Amino acid sequence: MDSRQTLNFILILISASMVMAGLYLNFNNHENFIALILISAGASSLIPHYYFSSKAKQLHTVNSSSHTAQSFQDTFEKAAIGLAHVDLQGKFIRVNSNLCQFLGYPEQELLETTFQSLSLPDDLEESFRWIRAVLAGEEVEDFSKIKRYYHKDGRLVWAKLTTTLVKNELNEPDYFVSSIQDISDLKNTEMLLRQSEEKFKTIIEAVSDEVVIWMSTLGMQEMLYVNQGFEKQWGRSVDTLYENPKSFLDIIHPDDKDAVEQIFTLSPDSNWNIDFRIIRDDGEIRHIHNVGFGILENGEPLYLVGSAVDRTDIMNRQQQLDESIIKLEAAYKSLEQLSQKDGLTGVFNRTTFLEHLSDAHERYKRYKTPATLIFIDLNQFKAINDNHGHITGDNTLIALANKLSDNIRQTDVLGRYGGDEFVVLLNNSSIEHAQEFFNRVGNSIQVDCNLSGKPLRIGISYGAYEIDPTVETLQQWISHADISMYKDKGTHSS
């Protein structure tokens, strides 16, 4: 108590004593005048103090109420969760910014909305039951529920709702106070966890059927555990392993058994990784991949743990893939050859022949390797097509190509240049070799007419040119041989 409070207390005490003394004198009918003075003086001292004390209390009460209201407003607005006052019909009458942000609504728009319109129909019935009970005066706990709300953009958001009823000074229901906590992240995490658990469960169930997992004592003297995958993979009951852990060796392929039995000679703390085959009782051969290791405790080996995977389907697919690759490579090779060949006669087409001719030209420029280009043409070929039909013409081209092919060396190149023109590249050959080639082929071929069946003899013209330093381009080389061929054709015409 400070000095000011002490002085006030003494003054009040003196004033009260004066009033009490006056009342005593008046009560005993002694000195009524003095009694009146004491009462009046004491009372006049108490009244100002009481008045100003009351005013001070009133002022303090007003200040305290104002401070409390401001504190409440700050707490309501700055709360880390959504807060709302809701009237008895479900309409929002006060909301904080966190709730507006959570639901995506501006404050004014949310104040014109009811909680019913933001809730899923399936979530409302439980809320209504609690509201009816609490409004009826039943003793019920605050309402709490995990529920979903419609966000302004149409999506659903998860929240934890807690609601309590506020009563007025007459103890009548006034409004509801609700806290709405955003738990969307929690629900998403819960959903992902549930999905992970389901995936893990599915994987375990699938693995238990496709993979053999087992555990035994050292040396496989006693089988401690083996899953049902053994029955599907090996075609035998798991009981056979419990009765005799090494009975699985009975169906190991004879060529692989020694390698598998070496596992039992390994150190207990070793790992193994092995592939082998089994011959099931039904005669089917399966490819097995087995891995395993020893389990140690305090440096002492205790158990062996292994797993076996059936790789038969993988091996079969790999074999099919290898066969497909071989076929594909053959098809590509065939396609490449076809792309190089003339479709009618089967000799090289013009493009491929020119590639070989270019190689010969390069060899001459670098190493002076000789080569001779020959141009070959059928005489009066157009007349054959016109008078004896195109089939006869095609047969004539084929016959010429076959005859030319029969008379070249493996190092020589034969091609169809276009129409009835053929070209031959004599590698490492001079113009004299070209003349020998002409002599072998002859100056005509014989073909049966497709229309009459009568034999036809068609003449052949040749032209040749041995590469020399004057040949700078392929076109020059071709031109020289072509001119030579047309000179020969002119001779036949004349």
Side-chain angles (χ1 to χ4, degrees), residues 84-367:
H85 293 176
V86 183
D87 67 17
L88 301 183
Q89 286 71 45
K91 184 178 180 181
F92 292 106
I93 55 178
R94 187 174 190 176
V95 294
N96 70 348
S97 58
N98 191 289
L99 182 60
C100 294
Q101 182 179 357
F102 173 57
L103 295 175
Y105 286 88
E107 180 180 358
Q108 189 56 43
E109 187 174 352
L110 197 57
L111 292 176
E112 298 173 357
T113 309
T114 63
F115 83 88
Q116 295 95 318
S117 63
L118 300 179
S119 303
L120 266 69
D122 295 343
D123 294 340
L124 287 175
E125 181 56 35
E126 188 177 353
S127 298
F128 289 154
R129 283 200 302 270
W130 180 83
I131 291 173
R132 287 193 293 269
V134 74
L135 291 180
E138 298 179 14
E139 292 292 334
V140 293
E141 296 180 353
D142 292 345
F143 182 72
S144 182
K145 179 177 176 62
I146 302 296
K147 61 176 294 185
R148 294 158 293 177
Y149 288 96
Y150 288 112
H151 192 274
K152 184 176 175 61
D153 61 15
R155 61 189 169 92
L156 291 173
V157 290
W158 284 93
K160 179 181 180 181
L161 169 68
T162 303
T163 302
T164 186
L165 176 66
V166 176
K167 296 182 179 182
N168 59 20
E169 60 274 9
L170 299 178
N171 201 33
E172 297 172 342
D174 195 3
Y175 59 90
F176 298 104
V177 175
S178 296
S179 67
I180 301 173
Q181 181 180 0
D182 181 5
I183 60 169
S184 297
D185 291 342
L186 179 63
K187 294 298 289 187
N188 289 336
T189 302
E190 181 183 306
M191 180 183 68
L192 292 175
L193 179 60
R194 188 180 302 112
Q195 290 175 349
S196 298
E197 290 175 348
E198 290 297 324
K199 290 179 181 178
F200 181 74
K201 181 180 178 182
T202 302
I203 291 172
I204 290 299
E205 290 176 351
V207 165
S208 66
D209 191 33
E210 299 294 334
V211 179
V212 178
I213 300 174
W214 56 268
M215 176 183 287
S216 75
T217 57
L218 299 180
M220 293 193 75
Q221 299 302 315
E222 180 183 358
M223 184 63 63
L224 303 176
Y225 169 79
V226 60
N227 69 334
Q228 294 298 319
F230 178 79
E231 295 188 357
K232 179 177 180 180
Q233 190 176 111
W234 294 63
R236 288 187 170 187
S237 170
V238 295
D239 293 336
T240 60
L241 287 183
Y242 286 116
E243 295 169 1
N244 181 7
K246 293 185 180 180
S247 63
F248 75 95
L249 291 171
D250 297 342
I251 61 174
I252 300 292
H253 194 285
D255 294 340
D256 301 333
K257 183 173 289 188
D258 289 342
V260 176
E261 288 179 336
Q262 286 181 7
I263 294 175
F264 304 115
T265 66
L266 297 175
S267 170
D269 59 350
S270 299
N271 300 336
W272 68 87
N273 188 324
I274 187 173
D275 291 293
F276 56 87
R277 292 161 293 173
I278 62 173
I279 305 175
R280 291 170 29 133
D281 294 334
D282 57 8
E284 183 180 6
I285 296 177
R286 309 295 292 180
H287 296 263
I288 307 300
H289 177 71
N290 181 255
V291 296
F293 53 89
I295 296 180
L296 305 179
E297 183 173 328
N298 297 325
E300 294 294 326
L302 295 180
Y303 311 108
L304 297 178
V305 175
S307 65
V309 179
D310 188 343
R311 301 181 69 245
T312 305
D313 292 341
I314 296 176
M315 298 294 289
N316 291 339
R317 285 196 295 270
Q318 184 62 49
Q319 182 178 355
Q320 293 172 358
L321 180 60
D322 293 342
E323 292 174 354
S324 297
I325 290 175
I326 293 173
K327 292 179 180 178
L328 186 60
E329 289 175 347
Y332 276 127
K333 186 175 182 180
S334 176
L335 183 62
E336 182 181 5
Q337 292 175 347
L338 289 174
S339 68
Q340 297 175 348
K341 297 297 181 66
D342 174 59
L344 177 63
T345 62
V347 300
F348 284 128
N349 57 29
R350 178 171 178 165
T351 301
T352 305
F353 180 84
L354 290 177
E355 291 175 356
H356 286 277
L357 191 65
S358 177
D359 293 340
H361 185 227
E362 288 296 322
R363 285 194 296 271
Y364 178 78
K365 288 194 297 183
R366 290 187 180 186
Y367 312 111

Side-chain angles (χ1 to χ4, degrees), residues 261-489:
E261 288 179 336
Q262 286 181 7
I263 294 175
F264 304 115
T265 66
L266 297 175
S267 170
D269 59 350
S270 299
N271 300 336
W272 68 87
N273 188 324
I274 187 173
D275 291 293
F276 56 87
R277 292 161 293 173
I278 62 173
I279 305 175
R280 291 170 29 133
D281 294 334
D282 57 8
E284 183 180 6
I285 296 177
R286 309 295 292 180
H287 296 263
I288 307 300
H289 177 71
N290 181 255
V291 296
F293 53 89
I295 296 180
L296 305 179
E297 183 173 328
N298 297 325
E300 294 294 326
L302 295 180
Y303 311 108
L304 297 178
V305 175
S307 65
V309 179
D310 188 343
R311 301 181 69 245
T312 305
D313 292 341
I314 296 176
M315 298 294 289
N316 291 339
R317 285 196 295 270
Q318 184 62 49
Q319 182 178 355
Q320 293 172 358
L321 180 60
D322 293 342
E323 292 174 354
S324 297
I325 290 175
I326 293 173
K327 292 179 180 178
L328 186 60
E329 289 175 347
Y332 276 127
K333 186 175 182 180
S334 176
L335 183 62
E336 182 181 5
Q337 292 175 347
L338 289 174
S339 68
Q340 297 175 348
K341 297 297 181 66
D342 174 59
L344 177 63
T345 62
V347 300
F348 284 128
N349 57 29
R350 178 171 178 165
T351 301
T352 305
F353 180 84
L354 290 177
E355 291 175 356
H356 286 277
L357 191 65
S358 177
D359 293 340
H361 185 227
E362 288 296 322
R363 285 194 296 271
Y364 178 78
K365 288 194 297 183
R366 290 187 180 186
Y367 312 111
K368 299 303 178 183
T369 304
T372 299
L373 173 62
I374 301 173
F375 251 73
I376 304 163
D377 183 78
L378 288 170
N379 300 329
Q380 304 299 321
F381 181 71
K382 184 176 184 302
I384 294 174
N385 278 329
D386 294 343
N387 299 326
H388 302 287
H390 287 281
I391 294 179
T392 301
D394 289 346
N395 291 339
T396 301
L397 295 174
I398 294 171
L400 176 60
N402 291 337
K403 190 164 189 178
L404 295 174
S405 180
D406 291 340
N407 287 280
I408 62 173
R409 303 166 300 179
Q410 289 185 347
T411 57
D412 298 331
V413 182
L414 169 63
R416 183 181 177 189
Y417 196 72
D420 62 331
E421 292 182 333
F422 289 80
V423 281
V424 174
L425 174 62
L426 301 178
N427 285 306
N428 292 295
S429 300
S430 64
I431 193 70
E432 288 77 15
H433 293 102
Q435 187 60 52
E436 293 175 1
F437 174 76
F438 300 159
N439 295 335
R440 291 195 302 270
V441 176
N443 58 6
S444 67
I445 58 172
Q446 181 174 307
V447 179
D448 291 336
C449 176
N450 182 65
L451 298 178
S452 64
K454 295 179 180 180
L456 300 174
R457 183 158 292 279
I458 301 99
I460 305 173
S461 297
Y462 300 96
Y465 193 88
E466 181 181 350
I467 192 169
D468 58 34
T470 65
V471 176
E472 296 180 354
T473 65
L474 291 184
Q475 191 56 45
Q476 286 180 338
W477 197 2
I478 293 170
S479 179
H480 288 321
D482 190 40
I483 291 171
S484 175
M485 185 267 295
Y486 271 100
K487 286 181 180 179
D488 184 55
K489 183 182 284 289

